Amino acid sequence: ATGIATAFGVSDLVIGLTIVAIGTSLPELAASVASALKGHHDIAIGNVIGSNIFNLLAVMPIPGILAVTAVEPMALYRDYIVMAGVTFALLLFFIICYRRGTLGRIPGIILTAGYLGYMFTLFLANQA
């Protein structure tokens, strides 16, 4: 897949941030949507939080233990800042919506629009 991506001028970082991320997250998304539609909101939230904690504490360190990995500077300057910003936005949404006990559609639309904007930004940055 990397050879084809390189032929089209797409960096490995962009492939990892888009195609690989979507492909590995779709099963979690399907499980969360199915449990939320069935009224099992705790399972949906636990799935999202649990998978992110596992990815940060197990999936990311293991390749670093096995081999030294170079990190592209753009991952530090653009992508980590975006990740921290989205985490902060989600925290704000939780604080604002805490009294109602629901997150609602508006924060979901805002976060989805932010994701689409991020994808568009990656696409534009890759074109340069």
Side-chain angles (χ1 to χ4, degrees), residues 68-81:
V68 175
T69 305
V71 177
E72 287 190 34
M74 285 308 296
L76 296 173
Y77 296 116
R78 179 191 58 218
D79 303 320
Y80 287 163
I81 292 171

Side-chain angles (χ1 to χ4, degrees), residues 25 28 32 45-57 59:
S25 297
E28 294 168 9
S32 294
I45 292 171
N47 182 32
V48 171
I49 293 172
S51 67
N52 284 317
I53 289 172
F54 180 76
N55 285 339
L56 288 171
L57 297 177
V59 173

